[in-house]
Amino acid sequence: MKPTQPDSQGHYGPYGGMFVPETLMEPLNELTRVYKKLRRDPEFKKELQYYLREYVGRPTPLYRAERMGRELGTNIYLKREDLCHTGAHKINNSMGQILLAKRMGKRRIIAETGAGQHGVATATVCAMFGMECVVYMGKVDMERQALNVFRMESLGATVVPVTIGQQTLKEAVNEAMRDWVSNIRNTHYILGSALGSHPYPMMVRDFQSVIGREARKQILKAEGRLPSALIACVGGGSNAIGLFHPFIKDEGVRMVGVEAGGFGVGTGMHAARFAEDKIGILQGTKTYVLQDGDGQIALTHSISAGLDYAAVGPEHSLLRDLHRAEYSHVTDIEAVDGFDKLSQWEGILPALESSHAIAWIIKNAAQFTSDDLLVVNVSGRGDKDVQQIAEWKKERP
Ligand SMILES: *Cc1c(COP(=O)(O)O)cnc(C)c1O
């Protein structure tokens, strides 16, 4: 199978596209034009590689998790995105996009954030390049993620509370788009996942594909063969598509995306978009979207803020329909168990998001033997989550 490259309007089969107001079409087309030129520009590639190496800390290790493998009766490698500067994969994309903004002569950066991780990564690269940074964040999220608000402000960013609707990520995205429309001349919008209107799903995927390119080289060097399966959690889908994409043509490599099962599919309190099988349009793109009976965007729940969103990146929707990737989900309880197990087996505290991928392996270990090679993306570190997990455990009998 060919890698899934979108057409000129950003369609991945029936998904993706540019569902935005007329005023955003021209800036998005310009962004697409500039990006398509820069992605092939050796100077741009060199500059990005330099900062990824010297500042972000790439390549990240592909670590053989010996104890976890022994416990589960198979071979498991961890892609250590938790070791990136700022503690997660998000900075791979923020770094790529800020270099792009610099080339476009834009000095002001805006972003939206839910849990705050993308806001922190973007505020970080803005500090480093001396750019103005404005981050939109739902007021409810600001209260839940006060530590990340403090981080962004310490980095010199302005965090704008959004007090519309549910006061969470969805509303923050709307406000960021509104800002962008009125300040298009000097402003670039750094979107944080493989979501939204074209060209973002393609561009974010390209910037995150460094994960899969490194992992492919590293596993071939360590084992002399390709992995039998790749496993990654799926929020918007950027860490997963970043790992998967360089392996799409390798048909023997199974790809598993793990969504947030929350309290369980069927409770209405989850973010497992593929479990409900409904297609819709949300914030610029056509994709699987959680909706109620009237087609209204459904409320979602996950213990992990980074997976708690009603839509999934459009390329995942196509990979799913083509049966090239498979999607599953684990519950909050299973994810916390994944967090505990990896911490105790390997001395690595995974982010709650990444804990979903760990939990899927624990749950499905019987599918694999000592001949298999699994690569799991540890998309971030769990330090940001320890207080929440401690409180969650206190509330459970
Ligand atoms: C934001 C986040 C995610 C979810 O986003 P994707 O775009 O699906 O990767 C996963 N893990 C961590 C650590 C995150 O911060």
Side-chain angles (χ1 to χ4, degrees), residues 13-324:
Y15 305 111
M18 303 177 83
F19 293 90
V20 293
E22 198 56 39
T23 41
L24 277 178
M25 282 307 279
E26 180 40 38
L28 285 166
N29 284 330
E30 188 206 347
L31 182 60
T32 309
R33 268 196 307 276
V34 174
Y35 173 66
K36 281 194 166 159
K37 220 164 72 198
L38 278 181
R39 80 201 292 202
R40 276 180 274 115
D41 178 346
E43 281 304 310
F44 181 78
K45 282 203 244 178
K46 227 168 82 185
E47 193 183 10
L48 177 57
Q49 267 167 17
Y50 170 81
Y51 286 111
L52 289 179
R53 184 178 70 239
E54 301 294 330
Y55 189 77
V56 174
R58 305 207 70 89
T60 59
L62 184 72
Y63 176 70
R64 183 181 171 89
E66 277 182 42
R67 240 192 110 189
M68 182 179 179
R70 257 199 319 277
E71 293 283 346
L72 300 177
T74 186
N75 303 291
I76 298 165
Y77 281 81
L78 310 177
K79 185 57 175 160
R80 298 290 310 276
E81 293 302 295
D82 58 309
L83 293 177
C84 289
H85 180 46
T86 67
H89 69 291
K90 293 239 166 56
I91 196 164
N92 301 326
N93 168 53
S94 296
M95 185 62 84
Q97 285 200 45
I98 202 161
L99 291 176
L100 186 69
K102 233 164 51 111
R103 294 289 180 108
M104 293 175 84
K106 311 240 161 146
R107 305 293 311 170
R108 180 175 178 268
I109 299 293
I110 58 170
E112 88 301 322
T113 197
Q117 291 303 107
H118 172 59
V120 168
T122 300
T124 298
V125 294
C126 286
M128 192 196 146
F129 287 106
M131 297 222 205
E132 185 188 347
C133 181
V134 177
V135 180
Y136 289 91
M137 191 169 185
K139 194 158 166 287
V140 169
D141 285 337
M142 283 180 74
E143 284 155 15
R144 288 194 289 205
Q145 308 286 339
L147 188 62
N148 275 338
V149 175
F150 183 78
R151 279 200 187 108
M152 289 183 266
E153 288 174 345
S154 301
L155 291 159
T158 305
V159 183
V160 180
V162 176
T163 54
I164 300 162
Q166 272 186 278
Q167 313 189 23
T168 60
L169 179 60
K170 186 157 57 74
E171 293 81 15
V173 174
N174 287 338
E175 284 309 294
M177 298 221 276
R178 219 184 307 268
D179 178 316
W180 203 32
V181 171
S182 3
N183 297 290
I184 212 89
R185 221 168 308 133
N186 68 342
T187 300
H188 175 64
Y189 175 17
I190 301 189
L191 206 144
S193 190
L195 269 172
S197 167
H198 184 63
Y200 284 104
M202 172 181 77
M203 196 164 72
V204 176
R205 172 253 277 163
D206 288 350
F207 288 136
Q208 293 294 359
S209 291
V210 67
I211 302 171
R213 283 198 305 273
E214 286 176 7
R216 201 170 187 286
K217 254 189 237 158
Q218 288 166 318
I219 195 83
L220 285 173
K221 181 150 183 266
E223 297 282 343
R225 61 184 169 117
L226 289 170
S228 21
L230 308 170
I231 299 104
C233 66
V234 182
S238 71
N239 88 89
I241 202 72
L243 176 64
F244 294 172
H245 207 260
F247 292 90
I248 284 183
K249 281 193 248 178
D250 305 308
E251 293 194 19
V253 179
R254 211 177 139 186
M255 308 194 302
V256 182
V258 186
E259 297 182 286
F263 292 167
V265 168
T267 63
M269 295 285 282
H270 65 85
R273 288 73 42 111
F274 289 128
E276 303 240 325
D277 231 0
K278 284 190 183 129
I279 292 158
I281 291 166
L282 183 61
Q283 294 180 328
T285 196
K286 184 170 175 188
T287 187
Y288 283 81
V289 182
L290 285 173
Q291 302 158 57
D292 66 18
D294 299 327
Q296 298 291 327
I297 306 306
L299 299 184
T300 52
H301 162 82
S302 170
I303 189 171
S304 145
L307 303 184
D308 196 353
Y309 186 65
V312 63
E315 189 166 353
H316 286 290
S317 294
L318 178 60
L319 289 174
R320 193 251 194 171
D321 285 7
L322 295 172
H323 304 290
R324 178 61 191 94

